[in-house]
Amino acid sequence: MIRIAIDAMGGDFGPEPIVKGTLEALKEKSFQPILVGKKDEILSLLPKGYKDKILIVDADDVIDMGDAATDALKRQESSIYKAIELVRNGEADGVVSAGHSGATMTLATLRLGRLKNVLRPALVTSMPTKSGKRSILMDAGANVDCKAEHLFQFGIMGYYYAHDMYKLDNPRVGLLANGEEDSKGNEVTKEAFKMLEGQKGFIGNVEGNNIFDGSCDVIVCDGFIGNLVLKASEGVASTISFFIKEYIRKSPVAITGALLMRKVFKLLKKQIDYAEIGGAPLVGIKGCAIVSHGKSNPKAIKNAIFQAIRYVNTGVNEHIENRLEELKK
Amino acid sequence: MIRIAIDAMGGDFGPEPIVKGTLEALKEKSFQPILVGKKDEILSLLPKGYKDKILIVDADDVIDMGDAATDALKRQESSIYKAIELVRNGEADGVVSAGHSGATMTLATLRLGRLKNVLRPALVTSMPTKSGKRSILMDAGANVDCKAEHLFQFGIMGYYYAHDMYKLDNPRVGLLANGEEDSKGNEVTKEAFKMLEGQKGFIGNVEGNNIFDGSCDVIVCDGFIGNLVLKASEGVASTISFFIKEYIRKSPVAITGALLMRKVFKLLKKQIDYAEIGGAPLVGIKGCAIVSHGKSNPKAIKNAIFQAIRYVNTGVNEHIENRLEELKK
C-alpha cells in the first residue's frame, strides 16, 4: 500500500482542512496516510473510526510563511522536515505539504536529493485549456535564473511527466517565447531551442496564449517567468469575475440572468479552480513531493494526495532518469 | 493643428478600416491627417466631403507581416517608411501604424532617433484593472534581452508617461517580480530594484496579479516577459469567454440567462477590448509613434490617433528628457 506523508500543520488555515482532506481521500482510495504535526491537535480532529487507519508522527515545530526557506534545514523538529525525512528513510513514498513552499522545495531537493543527471528540480502546475484537457507549465517557480541546459531538462522531464501522469502518447512540448518563429526568443531560450530541437515531442516556440488554447501539452519556461505567468493568469480570471459581479450587482435584470447562468459559472469555476488539481509536484527529486497552495481546502488536499499516489504509481522518476542517462551517451 | 501621419496600408485588412478610423477621428477632433499609402486605393475610400481635409502621401510599397524587420530600412518606398519620414522631416507630429510592428519600431528608433540619454525605447500597453483605471505594462515587447539600466529607464519613462497621459499626480511604479519582498527577483530585476529604490513613485516589487488589481500604475519588465504576460492574459480572457459560450450553448436556461446578462458582457468586453485604447506607443524616441494591432478595426485606429494627439500635446518626451538629464548629474 502506498504511504503518503502529509504535513498537517503547514497550511494557512492550520490542520483542519488538511486532516479533512486526508479523510476524504481515504474514503475514495486505499492508501496509508501519515499525518505529521502536533499529535494532540491532529488527534482531536480525527473521528473515532479513523484512528487506526491513520499514522501520526508527532512534530512540535511549524515553519511559518514569514520564515526564511534557508532556515528550513535547521528546523529538524518541524512538520515539513519530519514529513520529508519519512520519504528519505523509506517510511513513506511521497509527501504533500501546503506549508511554506520555499522550505518544502529546499528540503525536498536537499534531503531527498536530485534524480541522476538532473541539474535542477522544477515545479509543475497544470493549466486549463480550451480543449478541455490541461497543459502543464514547467518550471512554475522553483528556479528563478535558468540556463539553457536547465530549460532543456525541463522539456525532457515535462515530456515524461505529461506522458505518464496524463497518459499522453506523445506530449507536445513547447518553449515559451515572444513569437512562434524559430528565430524568436531571448538569449537563453534561443540556446535552449537548439538543444531541444529534434527531441521527442518538441514542437518549437510557443506564445503566452498557447498555454490555454490546447495546442501544446508542456510549456517550458524558467521559474521567474512561470511564476509571473501563473499569477498574471490568476489576476485576469479574478478581474473578469470581479467585473461580472460588479456589473450584475447594478442591474436587477442581470441578477436574474446570472441566476439562470448559475450552472455555467459553476462549470467555469471548476475549470479554473486549483482545488480540482491538488498541488504542484516538484519534479526531478528522488521520491515525490507535492507543493500545495497555502489556502488549500480539503478538496485540494485530497487531490494533492491522489496526485502523489499517481506519481508514485506511474514510475515517472525512472522514465526521466532513463532518458537523461540515454542522452548522456 | 497637430498633424498625424497614418500608415494606410499596414493592417491585416488593408486600407479600409484605417481610412474609416481616420474619418471617425476627424468627426470628433480637429487635426490634420496624412494618409500614407497607395493613393488610388485611399482616394477610392474617401467620401467627397473629405478629400480636402485629408492629405495623401503616395507610397507604392507595403511591408508585409512575413517580411523581416531588418529589411525595413531598405524599403524606402514603403508606406511605413514614408510615414515615419514625415515625422523626421517635421512634416508630421506623430505616426500611427497597424503594420509590421517590428518594422515600425525599428524605423521609428533608427530614423527618428532616441531621446537624449535614453538607452532603449520601450513599448507601452495599457491593461484593465479592478479599480476601473488602467495600468501600463512597459516594456510590452520592444526589447527582448534587457539589462538592469534598461529596466531602470523604463521605470522613469513609465512614470512620466502615466503622469502625463493618465494625469496621475504620483504614479506608482512597480518592478515585476516573483514576489513582493525586496529580496525577490532574478539577477537583472534585483539590480534594477536597487537602481529604482528612492525614485519618485517606486513602490518596489509587484507580482503578476498586481497588473490587474489596481495596486500599481506602471509595471516594469523586459519586453520578452511583457510579450508573454500580454499574450497569456489575452489567452486567459479568450479561454474564459470560450468556456462561457460553450456552457451556454448546451443549456436553454443559460441561453435565456445570457440574454438577460447581455449588458454585463458588453461592459466586460469594453474593459478588455484593445480597440478602446488604440495602440501601444513606443516611448523613448524623438517624436511620437503608435504601434497598433494588425487586426485594428476603425475604432482602434481612431483611438490610436487620439493617443498620438494626446502624446504630442502632453510633452511627455520633454519631461522624460529633463528627468534623465537630472539623473545624470
Side-chain angles (χ1 to χ4, degrees):
Chain A
M1 192 148 59
I2 287 185
R3 304 150 303 168
I4 305 295
I6 301 142
D7 173 8
M9 311 305 291
D12 295 357
F13 309 122
E16 197 173 331
I18 297 169
V19 173
K20 271 193 183 160
T22 306
L23 294 171
E24 284 180 19
L26 261 183
K27 280 179 202 152
E28 293 180 36
K29 268 200 170 79
S30 169
F31 71 102
Q32 176 59 60
I34 312 170
L35 286 168
V36 186
K38 292 177 182 164
K39 196 165 183 172
D40 295 345
E41 282 191 43
I42 295 171
L43 274 173
S44 74
L45 292 165
L46 290 185
K48 269 193 185 149
Y50 281 95
K51 297 205 173 153
D52 53 336
K53 291 182 186 156
I54 295 178
L55 295 174
I56 299 176
V57 170
D58 199 21
D60 272 348
D61 190 16
V62 183
I63 298 184
D64 281 336
M65 293 303 171
D67 294 332
T70 41
D71 285 346
L73 275 173
K74 295 176 221 152
R75 306 270 291 269
Q76 305 190 2
E77 293 305 312
S78 69
S79 54
I80 178 60
Y81 192 101
K82 284 196 161 181
I84 284 172
E85 287 305 289
L86 291 174
V87 181
R88 179 178 156 99
N89 300 333
E91 295 166 65
D93 303 295
V95 56
V96 169
S97 176
H100 193 300
S101 56
T104 307
M105 290 190 284
T106 303
L107 287 172
T109 305
L110 297 179
R111 296 300 294 166
L112 304 182
R114 287 165 287 137
L115 293 174
K116 197 177 171 196
N117 296 316
V118 166
L119 297 167
R120 299 249 196 114
L123 213 51
V124 172
T125 55
S126 141
M127 310 292 259
T129 79
K130 286 179 186 170
S131 74
K133 289 175 190 159
R134 301 186 75 95
S135 65
I136 61 165
L137 190 69
M138 183 168 184
D139 174 21
N143 306 283
V144 170
D145 288 289
C146 286
K147 294 190 177 136
E149 53 260 47
H150 302 138
L151 297 183
F152 168 73
Q153 286 202 343
F154 299 165
I156 304 295
M157 294 197 286
Y159 178 89
Y160 286 97
Y161 181 87
H163 182 275
D164 293 347
M165 294 285 282
Y166 292 176
K167 309 244 171 290
L168 299 177
D169 276 344
N170 194 24
R172 297 157 297 174
V173 177
L175 185 61
L176 195 57
N178 59 328
E180 281 187 354
E181 304 87 343
D182 292 6
S183 60
K184 293 283 180 161
N186 62 20
E187 280 170 27
V188 176
T189 69
K190 278 181 189 168
E191 209 185 321
F193 186 101
K194 281 183 211 149
M195 299 170 80
L196 281 165
E197 233 176 340
Q199 289 298 324
K200 266 190 283 190
F202 185 59
I203 58 166
N205 284 331
V206 294
E207 299 189 70
N209 49 312
N210 298 130
I211 301 170
F212 308 98
D213 71 0
S215 65
C216 187
D217 302 304
V218 179
I219 291 100
V220 173
C221 61
D222 71 42
F224 183 77
I225 287 173
N227 175 287
L228 293 182
V229 165
L230 205 61
K231 297 251 176 81
S233 304
E234 287 170 4
V236 174
S238 140
T239 305
I240 290 176
S241 135
F242 171 85
F243 278 125
I244 290 179
K245 282 181 198 152
E246 272 289 297
Y247 296 144
I248 288 172
R249 216 169 41 82
K250 286 176 187 157
S251 149
V253 175
I255 292 175
T256 313
L259 285 171
L260 298 175
M261 280 185 63
R262 220 166 9 182
K263 205 181 147 199
V264 168
F265 291 128
K266 216 172 153 183
L267 286 167
L268 185 66
K269 206 183 156 212
K270 210 174 149 87
Q271 281 286 352
I272 57 180
D273 185 8
Y274 66 83
E276 296 288 333
I277 303 306
L282 184 68
V283 177
I285 52 160
K286 281 182 195 154
C288 160
I290 312 288
V291 178
S292 285
H293 205 295
K295 297 196 168 21
S296 287
N297 58 19
K299 190 198 260 179
I301 295 296
K302 179 189 80 175
N303 284 323
I305 292 170
F306 290 167
Q307 260 182 319
I309 295 172
R310 207 158 66 245
Y311 195 97
V312 174
N313 276 332
T314 56
V316 52
N317 282 351
E318 200 190 330
H319 300 150
I320 290 173
E321 272 195 334
N322 290 347
R323 181 65 185 147
L324 290 178
E325 192 62 22
E326 259 173 47
L327 285 167
K328 268 185 78 183
K329 285 169 194 163
Chain B
M1 192 147 58
I2 287 184
R3 303 149 304 167
I4 306 295
I6 302 142
D7 173 6
M9 310 306 290
D12 294 357
F13 310 120
E16 197 173 330
I18 297 169
V19 173
K20 269 193 183 161
T22 306
L23 294 170
E24 284 179 19
L26 261 183
K27 279 179 203 152
E28 294 182 34
K29 268 200 170 79
S30 168
F31 71 104
Q32 176 59 61
I34 312 170
L35 286 169
V36 186
K38 292 177 181 165
K39 195 167 183 173
D40 295 344
E41 283 191 43
I42 295 170
L43 275 173
S44 73
L45 292 164
L46 290 183
K48 268 193 184 151
Y50 282 96
K51 297 205 172 152
D52 52 335
K53 291 182 186 154
I54 294 178
L55 295 174
I56 300 177
V57 169
D58 199 22
D60 272 348
D61 189 16
V62 183
I63 298 183
D64 280 336
M65 293 302 170
D67 294 333
T70 41
D71 284 346
L73 275 173
K74 296 174 220 152
R75 305 270 291 269
Q76 304 190 0
E77 293 307 311
S78 68
S79 54
I80 178 60
Y81 193 102
K82 284 197 160 179
I84 284 173
E85 287 305 289
L86 290 173
V87 181
R88 179 178 156 100
N89 301 332
E91 294 166 65
D93 302 296
V95 58
V96 169
S97 176
H100 193 301
S101 57
T104 307
M105 290 191 284
T106 303
L107 287 172
T109 304
L110 298 178
R111 297 299 295 165
L112 304 181
R114 288 166 286 138
L115 292 174
K116 196 176 169 194
N117 295 317
V118 166
L119 297 166
R120 299 249 197 114
L123 213 51
V124 172
T125 55
S126 141
M127 311 293 258
T129 79
K130 286 181 185 168
S131 74
K133 289 176 190 158
R134 300 187 76 95
S135 65
I136 62 165
L137 190 69
M138 183 166 185
D139 174 19
N143 306 282
V144 170
D145 288 289
C146 286
K147 295 192 175 132
E149 52 262 46
H150 302 139
L151 296 184
F152 168 73
Q153 286 202 344
F154 299 165
I156 304 294
M157 294 197 287
Y159 179 89
Y160 287 97
Y161 181 87
H163 182 275
D164 292 349
M165 293 284 282
Y166 291 176
K167 309 243 170 294
L168 298 177
D169 276 345
N170 193 24
R172 295 157 299 173
V173 178
L175 186 60
L176 195 58
N178 58 328
E180 282 188 352
E181 303 87 343
D182 291 6
S183 60
K184 293 282 180 164
N186 63 18
E187 280 171 25
V188 175
T189 69
K190 278 181 189 167
E191 207 185 320
F193 186 101
K194 281 183 211 148
M195 298 171 81
L196 280 165
E197 234 178 338
Q199 288 299 323
K200 264 190 283 188
F202 185 60
I203 58 165
N205 283 332
V206 295
E207 298 188 70
N209 51 310
N210 298 131
I211 301 170
F212 308 97
D213 71 0
S215 65
C216 187
D217 302 303
V218 179
I219 291 99
V220 173
C221 61
D222 71 42
F224 183 78
I225 287 173
N227 175 287
L228 294 181
V229 165
L230 204 61
K231 298 252 176 79
S233 305
E234 286 169 3
V236 174
S238 141
T239 304
I240 290 177
S241 136
F242 170 85
F243 278 125
I244 291 179
K245 281 180 198 151
E246 273 286 298
Y247 295 145
I248 288 173
R249 216 170 41 83
K250 287 176 189 159
S251 149
V253 175
I255 293 175
T256 313
L259 285 171
L260 298 175
M261 277 184 66
R262 219 162 15 178
K263 206 182 146 198
V264 168
F265 291 128
K266 216 172 152 184
L267 286 166
L268 185 66
K269 205 181 156 217
K270 211 176 148 87
Q271 281 286 351
I272 56 180
D273 184 9
Y274 66 83
E276 296 288 333
I277 303 306
L282 184 68
V283 177
I285 52 159
K286 281 181 195 152
C288 160
I290 312 288
V291 179
S292 284
H293 205 295
K295 297 196 168 16
S296 287
N297 58 16
K299 191 198 257 181
I301 295 296
K302 179 189 82 175
N303 283 324
I305 293 171
F306 291 167
Q307 258 180 320
I309 295 172
R310 208 158 65 242
Y311 195 99
V312 174
N313 275 332
T314 56
V316 53
N317 282 351
E318 199 189 332
H319 300 151
I320 289 172
E321 273 195 331
N322 290 348
R323 180 63 185 151
L324 290 179
E325 191 62 24
E326 259 174 47
L327 285 168
K328 268 185 74 180
K329 283 168 195 164

